[in-house]
Each structure stands twice: as C-alpha cells, then as structure tokens.
Amino acid sequence: MYWEIETILFVFLLVSAVISLMVKDLLTAVVILSVFSFISALIYAVMGAIDVGFTEAVVGAGVTGIFFVVLIFQTSRRSED
C-alpha cells in the first residue's frame, strides 16, 4: 500500500545495519542498533502490524539498548582488533 515509505525505511534499515557493523566504538554500535530496531518498528507499523511494531519499539529499541549500555559501561568501551 505504501511501498514508497517501506522502500525508504528499508534502505535506512540496511544503512544502519552496515554502519553498526563498521563502527569500532561499542556504545555507538548499540545506539545504531537501537535505531535499527526503531526503524523495524516503523516498518511493522506501516505494514499494519501495530502491535508487533509497538513490541519491537519497546523491547528492541528500549530494553535491549539499555541493557547493552549498562553492560558496556561495566566492560571496555572499544572493541579489540
């Protein structure tokens, strides 16, 4: 129905996935992965699955991001090559 919006969101989804894999700072990677989850939630909402989108936004972008940030501050912040 809204294929233009879905295409744009899918491109942003792919870009955020690639950026999160390329970045060396773990905190930045967690933030970008939270953006990835939020874009996924938007795609679900555009497709009509509002309940799945809301769950993805709460769990994927919210709770998981907070857990990752807490764990990063208890370990080293940069990945080793």
Side-chain angles (χ1 to χ4, degrees):
M1 183 188 245
Y2 301 105
W3 66 271
E4 296 92 357
I5 297 172
E6 291 173 3
T7 305
I8 291 169
L9 288 174
F10 186 68
V11 168
F12 283 139
L13 193 72
L14 289 176
V15 168
S16 66
V18 169
I19 290 172
S20 68
L21 289 174
M22 299 299 238
V23 70
K24 296 291 183 192
D25 187 23
L26 295 178
L27 186 62
T28 306
V30 167
V31 170
I32 295 174
L33 283 174
S34 294
V35 169
F36 179 88
S37 294
F38 185 70
I39 294 171
S40 297
L42 288 176
I43 290 174
Y44 289 137
V46 168
M47 290 181 165
I50 303 297
D51 53 344
V52 178
F54 181 73
T55 304
E56 177 67 27
V58 170
V59 174
V63 176
T64 306
I66 291 170
F67 283 154
F68 279 148
V69 168
V70 168
L71 290 173
I72 286 173
F73 281 118
Q74 292 182 1
T75 61
S76 65
R77 185 170 169 178
R78 301 211 27 109
S79 64
E80 297 178 7
D81 289 340

